[in-house]
Every structure is written in C-alpha cells, then in structure tokens.
Amino acid sequence: MISSNRALGFHYLIRSVIVLSFSILITYLIKSGNINLYIAPRMLILVKLSAIGFYVIGMYQMYSAYRYLRNQSSMAVDCDCDHTPTGSVWKHIMIYSLFVFPLLLGFLLPNATMGTALASKKGMNLSASTTSRTVQAQPEAVIPEELVIIEPSSSNQPTGETTLTEEQLNALFVTDEYNEDFARLSKQIYQDDVIVVKDELFMEILTAIDLFLDSFTGKKVEISGFVYREPDMNQNQFVVGRFAMDCCSADALPYGVLVEDASAAKYKNDSWIKVRGQIETTVYEGNEIMVFKPESIESITAPESPYIYPNYDF
Amino acid sequence: MPSTVTRWSLNIITLVCLIYVYLIVTNQNMPDLSLLVGTNIQSFKIMFISIILEAFPFILIGVLISALLQTFVPEHVIQRLVPRNPILGVLYACVIGIIFPICECGMIPVMRRLIHKGMPLYIAVVFIVAGPILNPIVFASTFMAFRSRPEITYSRMGLAFICALIIGLIVYRFVRSNPLRHSHHEHSHGPTHGHTHEHSQEEHHHHGGKWNTVLKHSSDEFFEMGKYLVFGAFLAALVQTMLSREWLVSVGTGDLSSHFFMMAFAYIISLCSTSDAFVASSFISTFSAGSLLSFLVFGPMLDFKGTLMLLAIFKTRFVLILSLLIFTTVLAASLILERILFL
C-alpha cells in the first residue's frame, strides 16, 4: 500500500506541475499581450477563466500529491475505485509528454505572427464578397435605366464634390434584402475623399467595395497589411493582406487586395506596408477582382494587433 | 517496461526504412520533411497552441459539469427527466442544446457521466451529434458568417436536426449491446477512476466533503479526456501546416466529390462548431452550397479530436459504426436538401 501511495503521489505531483504550467503559460501569454496571436478577443474571457480553473485543479493535485507522499494511507481508500496506477511506466511517460509538448512549444519557441507561410497554406482570399455577388447580380439587372443615367456623371467626378444626393447614392448602391448592411456601409464610405480600410472594419469595407466594385472604381483608398505573393504573380504584383480571425488561429483566414506597381519588387514578403491608391479592376485567374494602383507605398512596423476580426454589427 | 519500447521502436524504424527504400526504388519523391524547420514549426506552434487554448475552457466546463452531476445528482433524477417514449426522447435530446450550449469537447465527458447514471444510449448519441450545432451560439455565428445567405444557416439547423433524429432512432432500434468501454480499459490509462462503476452518494462523504470530490473528479477527468484533445489538436495542427488548401481543393472538385472533400476537410481540421461557419464561408466561391452544408453539419458531429474523445468512452467497434452512420446520414441528407433547395 505504501509503495502505491508513493507512485500515486508522484502522479499527482507531475499532474499538478503540468496543470499549473498551463495556467502560467496562459497568464504569461496574456501579460505579454501575445495571447492575441492565438485567440480572438471575444474568446479571451473564457481563456482567462480556464487559467483560473487550471490553477485550482493544479493546487488540488499538489495537495493530493503532498498527502500521498506523506503516506497518509487513509487517503487511498476514500472510495471503492482502484487508484493504483496500472500500465507501464513508458505509457505514462508518453501521456505526460503529450501534455508537456505544447508547454515546451509555448514557453521555448519565440512567438511569431501568421504570415505568408500560412497564407499560402490557407489560400489568400482576393475578393472578399464572392458570397454576395451572385445574389446581387439579379437586382442590378432589373433596374438598368436609373443606373445608366447616374453612373457616368458620378464616375466623372469620383472624388471632388462629395455631396451626392440620397437618390444618387441609392442608385449607385442598389440594395436588396441580402446586402442591406453593405449598401449602407458603402454609402457612408463613398462620401470620404480617401476610403481608409480601418482594422475594425477591414473585411466589411473590402466586401462592400468588392460588392459594388463598379461604383467604387476610381475612388481613393488607404490600406495597410503584410506583403504576400502567389507563386504565379507578375513582377509588378503583390497582395496586401491581413489574417481575419474568428475564434482562434486555426480558423484564421487571409484576406487581401491585389496591388500593381512598378516598384513592387522592392517590398519583401511579410514586410508591413501602407498603400494609398486608386481602385481599379483587373482579371486575375479568370475572375474580375479589384486591384489597387498605388500613389504611395510606405513601409510601416507591424501593428500591435496584426489580425483583424470580423465585425458582426457594423 | 523498456524492453517493450525497444522492441516497438525497432519495428517502427524498420518500417520507416522500408518505406524509404520503396520510395527510392520506385523513384518517387521523398515525403516533405521541411515541416521540421523554420517557418513551418512556427506555423505549427501557432495552430497547435491556439486549438488547445480554445478548447480548454470548454473541456474544463465539461469535466466540471460532469463532476457536479456525479456528486450531486442521483441517478433516479436523470432517469426521470428523460421521456420514456423513444421518439419524444430523441426530440428532447435534439433541442437540449438550446439551453446547454457547449461544443463536443465539453459534451463528451458530460454524456459519459449521464450514460453511467442511466441515461439511454441513443439519447446520449443524439446529444453528442446535435448539441454542438443546435444551439444559439452556433446559430448566431453561422448567421453572421453567411450574412448574405441566411438560407444556409436555416438549412444547417434543419439538416442537423433531421440527421440527429435519424441517427438517434437508428441507434435506438439497432444497438442492443453495451458499447461502453469497461473499467479495466480505463484503469490502464493512469491513476484515474474507472468511471464505469458507480459510486453511490454516501461513499464520498468522508474526507473533505462533496466539493473535494468534485475537484478530484474534475482533475482526474481532465487528464483522461485532455490527452485525446491534445493529441487531436496535434494532428489537426500538423495537417493544417502541411497540406495546402489549394492542393485539397484540386483534389475535391466535382459534384459528389466536393461533398466528400468538405466532409473530410471538416473532419481533419477539427474546428469548434462556433467558428467553423467562418471557414466555410471562405469556400463559398469554390464550393456548392450543398457541400458547405455537409461541412457545417458533419464537422461538429464528427471530427478528429471528437473521434479520439469518443474512443475514450465507447468501444472501437461502436465508434466505427457511429462514424459510418453519421457519415452516410449527413451525406444523404445534404444531397437531398441540395436537390430541393439549391438546384
């Protein structure tokens, strides 16, 4: 009985160290701000709670370990279940190393941001809104007259006077029941001299532009992100992209915009830039997508939070 | 026993060498081992840690509820709560997720406890397959991800409901034997309880009271379920880092094969049901709505880490049968729904 108590005590000791380490890992990631690289802010509260849970469990296991190692054999018979560890020592080593492995990775490897390597695995999304486009195609075809009248006049003076009337805007951004929110957003940003693709609305603005690409052609935009290239891209092309994360990095997907510029080769993959330019359309891999023709490209440092999060209520 | 390890490691090394010899002789490409260096290990780390961190809260909630049930809820209460009529029972299990919104990492430990407490197997199975989809959080996240295609959200919910119903009734009708793993299996995993034997309430009264018991059960069960979770996350992260999506897409285009592909993809990446809609919506330009539905319904019902966790409670044979059942039901139902709705 005494030797099995000792064995149990060691098991609890190992477990408490593992569980407490997880708690410390989470705390460390939160304190250093690196938790953003793994988990979306909306999950943060749950992860914090789990750190507390681990702490409680870890302390309890530590206490059990202490009691077993002190040979309080009465502990061992507190219920009718068989506590004695069975199975080979190697099996236990295997199981515990399974838990230790992520801890080692977490503590020892430097934290990195998702960049081009993962973007190429996950596949860069270059037109944010293919979803809505197919749906939107029909209503646009139904009311062609209004469009024909308004469009030329507005695209002649795309920036300049931003005092478009309500009707003009409505004609530019034809609403149906599915794209209502995007049409509303489009009307807002269309009024800006330069459309800044903000982090908080990154995907939403890109989707809106992509949905109403014809109306937005010629407008000025500003966007920042990391540089990414597909293997088959031309010398003068690259993508400015960001990772959009919903819950955790495993579901994060890269979204980006194609940029065409003579100086493209200067910018290395994974470097962060801010591009200011004009929205045009181009055909890439058989699809008509938006392309930014830059007026200025500026190298920037990677932002504090490199990822963007879908905004559910814009 | 070191001798066992030596023997096995020798066998494995021999096998690996044979595979390499075969590849060299037949003049094929070597497997891509570049994973072991540089950026790939970083990518792997990001994926692995993030899947684990995301799943931990849910598994902790699961083991906590399970321990609370074990300690505070007597068997007869649970038996009384479940309707006698099998159809009512299945319907009841389908909608319980609405008030009990946790994903399968949390669901599986709770279900194991409930089965031991006398809940019928088919009800537990319906819980496991329907719970992770038919709940308000998943509804909201799917609705957001497919903002412009609300019919996908409704179809996902409807399809999950129908599939869970069919699966539950088939399990009710055909599974007679007890598919639970026996206690000696569990004991071989470590100093954990074999949860297959029931402790009566009173037995836990001595030493520190009931809360002590709750803590003890939660911590033991965390290790028991956690190892499957960590291993599943490990494999999922490995696959995500090694296989590119483009390659996968090139494998899986075509009418029926797109369904297979999306289901296999869902299985492999093992996402939590609350976030998978977002990934599915990124495929909408390449894949049909029907195959996306297969992804959205099949993934939460069955995936890599889920299968490993199921193996912790059920016998291998039952897990295989259940997997096959889920696969065929979801495939058939989503094909039919696709014909009705989207063509």
Side-chain angles (χ1 to χ4, degrees):
Chain A
M1 207 63 215
I2 285 168
S3 67
S4 90
N5 268 1
R6 279 185 69 81
L8 257 183
F10 277 119
H11 272 287
Y12 278 114
L13 194 63
I14 297 170
R15 289 173 172 213
S16 84
V17 171
I18 290 176
V19 168
L20 287 176
S21 308
F22 272 117
S23 178
I24 295 168
L25 177 66
I26 294 171
T27 320
Y28 157 73
L29 286 175
I30 291 171
K31 282 281 169 223
S32 64
N34 285 327
I35 193 85
N36 284 338
L37 305 179
Y38 302 97
I39 292 290
R42 71 188 182 92
M43 295 292 294
L44 196 57
I45 181 71
L46 282 176
V47 176
K48 281 180 179 166
L49 287 176
S50 72
I52 297 173
F54 282 138
Y55 180 74
V56 174
I57 289 179
M59 290 320 272
Y60 178 80
Q61 306 248 22
M62 188 74 92
Y63 167 71
S64 306
Y66 170 75
R67 286 184 58 171
Y68 280 114
L69 288 176
R70 289 289 305 269
N71 276 325
Q72 297 193 356
S73 54
S74 58
M75 254 305 264
V77 284
D78 83 335
C79 69
D80 62 344
C81 15
D82 179 14
H83 288 279
T84 325
T86 51
S88 71
V89 176
W90 291 100
K91 186 160 187 173
H92 293 304
I93 292 179
M94 283 291 290
I95 289 171
Y96 289 132
S97 18
L98 196 60
F99 284 96
V100 172
F101 180 56
L103 286 169
L104 288 180
L105 277 184
F107 281 118
L108 298 183
L109 271 190
N111 290 300
T113 356
M114 289 187 279
T116 42
L118 269 170
S120 69
K121 293 288 181 203
K122 288 175 177 248
M124 180 63 85
N125 296 283
L126 284 178
S127 53
S129 76
T130 355
T131 337
S132 329
R133 273 196 132 177
T134 41
V135 185
Q136 198 240 347
Q138 296 134 344
E140 207 173 34
V142 181
I143 25 175
E145 309 91 27
E146 292 154 80
L147 276 176
V148 176
I149 304 163
I150 308 293
E151 270 236 85
S153 67
S154 62
S155 55
N156 284 343
Q157 18 159 307
T159 44
E161 291 134 68
T162 45
T163 47
L164 286 179
T165 62
E166 189 68 30
E167 292 101 75
Q168 280 174 309
L169 278 175
N170 284 343
L172 272 174
F173 304 105
V174 181
T175 317
D176 62 44
E177 63 173 309
Y178 297 118
N179 66 13
E180 219 175 300
D181 301 311
F182 291 109
R184 187 162 34 81
L185 180 67
S186 301
K187 287 172 198 169
Q188 269 170 34
I189 57 176
Y190 192 83
Q191 309 277 21
D192 301 339
D193 285 342
V194 176
I195 300 170
V196 180
V197 186
K198 299 183 280 259
D199 285 4
E200 314 86 77
L201 282 172
F202 190 93
M203 281 180 70
E204 289 70 26
I205 291 178
L206 284 191
T207 309
I209 295 177
D210 195 48
L211 264 176
F212 303 101
L213 191 49
D214 294 338
S215 309
F216 276 109
T217 305
K219 291 285 292 183
K220 281 206 176 67
V221 280
E222 187 182 293
I223 190 172
S224 53
F226 65 89
V227 176
Y228 168 81
R229 285 180 180 83
E230 299 272 344
D232 56 349
M233 277 184 173
N234 295 336
Q235 277 284 309
N236 66 337
Q237 291 177 319
F238 64 85
V239 173
V240 186
R242 293 296 277 272
F243 269 95
M245 188 196 280
D246 195 38
C247 280
C248 70
S249 309
D251 64 43
L253 291 169
Y255 285 84
V257 182
L258 189 64
V259 175
E260 280 180 359
D261 192 63
S263 70
K266 273 205 316 216
Y267 303 96
K268 287 203 189 69
N269 278 350
D270 277 326
S271 59
W272 281 76
I273 53 166
K274 184 189 268 182
V275 176
R276 195 185 255 252
Q278 234 179 24
I279 303 173
E280 307 277 336
T281 55
T282 188
V283 174
Y284 181 72
E285 287 182 341
N287 299 314
E288 194 190 33
I289 59 167
M290 67 176 122
V291 58
F292 288 0
K293 302 276 185 184
E295 288 164 0
S296 70
I297 303 178
E298 190 187 323
S299 288
I300 56 171
T301 49
E304 279 285 284
S305 69
Y307 308 142
I308 46 142
Y309 308 96
N311 193 333
Y312 289 149
D313 29 43
F314 55 93
Chain B
M1 273 152 274
S3 61
T4 338
V5 176
T6 342
R7 206 171 56 231
W8 272 103
S9 52
L10 260 180
N11 287 346
I12 289 167
I13 292 170
T14 317
L15 186 71
V16 172
C17 289
L18 281 177
I19 292 172
Y20 267 80
V21 168
Y22 170 79
L23 290 176
I24 292 168
V25 168
T26 55
N27 211 2
Q28 291 181 29
N29 289 333
M30 292 294 132
D32 186 12
L33 293 180
S34 62
L35 172 82
L36 300 174
V37 285
T39 53
N40 272 326
I41 195 108
Q42 281 294 357
S43 311
F44 173 79
K45 180 199 169 185
I46 295 172
M47 293 297 136
F48 188 35
I49 305 259
S50 81
I51 297 176
I52 289 182
L53 287 185
E54 189 204 28
F56 271 161
F58 293 100
I59 199 168
L60 282 176
I61 294 171
V63 296
L64 184 66
I65 293 175
S66 156
L68 288 172
L69 282 173
Q70 165 68 21
T71 319
F72 291 106
V73 184
E75 280 124 69
H76 61 88
V77 173
I78 287 166
Q79 276 152 9
R80 232 193 357 242
L81 280 175
V82 178
R84 288 270 154 262
N85 181 311
I87 297 189
L88 269 183
V90 170
L91 284 175
Y92 159 87
C94 277
V95 294
I96 201 80
I98 294 172
I99 52 164
F100 198 59
I102 56 176
C103 67
E104 83 258 23
C105 319
M107 196 65 91
I108 291 174
V110 178
M111 283 312 127
R112 173 165 77 166
R113 175 73 55 232
L114 288 175
I115 296 174
H116 287 311
K117 290 246 168 201
M119 176 183 271
L121 172 74
Y122 65 95
I123 303 233
V125 168
V126 174
F127 265 129
I128 292 174
V129 296
I133 306 180
L134 292 169
N135 73 56
I137 299 174
V138 174
F139 180 85
S141 75
T142 317
F143 197 80
M144 292 308 164
F146 290 94
R147 226 181 158 90
S148 55
R149 302 279 299 269
E151 73 274 14
I152 293 209
T153 311
Y154 301 125
S155 317
R156 179 183 197 186
M157 297 292 140
L159 200 64
F161 183 79
I162 293 165
C163 291
L165 204 68
I166 296 170
I167 292 165
L169 290 175
I170 291 177
V171 170
Y172 169 74
R173 178 74 185 77
F174 294 103
V175 179
R176 285 278 164 261
S177 60
N178 173 20
L180 289 174
R181 267 185 202 281
H182 292 305
S183 49
H184 65 267
H185 279 281
E186 295 185 13
H187 279 295
S188 64
H189 293 315
T192 44
H193 286 245
H195 287 285
T196 37
H197 44 221
E198 273 315 313
H199 318 211
S200 69
Q201 301 290 298
E202 288 72 26
E203 272 174 275
H204 282 291
H205 252 339
H206 33 237
H207 297 298
K210 292 193 167 185
W211 289 105
N212 202 347
T213 320
V214 169
L215 262 180
K216 178 167 180 45
H217 277 287
S218 333
S219 48
D220 284 350
E221 203 163 5
F222 171 74
F223 271 87
E224 213 175 313
M225 303 307 301
K227 61 175 185 269
Y228 294 98
L229 173 82
V230 174
F231 190 57
F234 176 84
L235 291 178
L238 204 63
V239 170
Q240 281 218 26
T241 347
M242 286 202 301
L243 299 182
S244 79
R245 200 166 75 161
E246 267 164 37
W247 180 81
L248 289 169
V249 170
S250 70
V251 172
T253 36
D255 199 16
L256 193 62
S257 64
S258 67
H259 282 263
F260 286 123
F261 163 75
M262 287 310 289
M263 285 160 91
F265 186 61
Y267 186 84
I268 290 169
I269 60 172
S270 305
L271 289 178
C272 208
S273 58
T274 50
S275 59
D276 60 354
F278 188 62
V279 172
S281 70
S282 76
F283 275 102
I284 198 144
S285 49
T286 6
F287 284 90
S288 66
S291 57
L292 291 183
L293 275 178
S294 296
F295 174 90
L296 289 169
V297 175
F298 185 72
M301 288 187 175
L302 195 71
D303 62 25
F304 226 145
K305 65 175 155 60
T307 311
L308 289 174
M309 289 173 82
L310 280 178
L311 283 169
I313 32 175
F314 297 122
K315 287 177 188 154
T316 317
R317 206 176 104 87
F318 180 73
V319 176
L320 281 178
I321 293 173
L322 184 65
S323 312
L324 203 65
L325 184 62
I326 294 176
F327 174 76
T328 28
T329 318
V330 173
L331 182 65
S334 75
L335 281 173
I336 293 169
L337 195 75
E338 188 176 33
R339 295 283 176 283
I340 299 172
L341 276 185
F342 300 112
L343 287 183

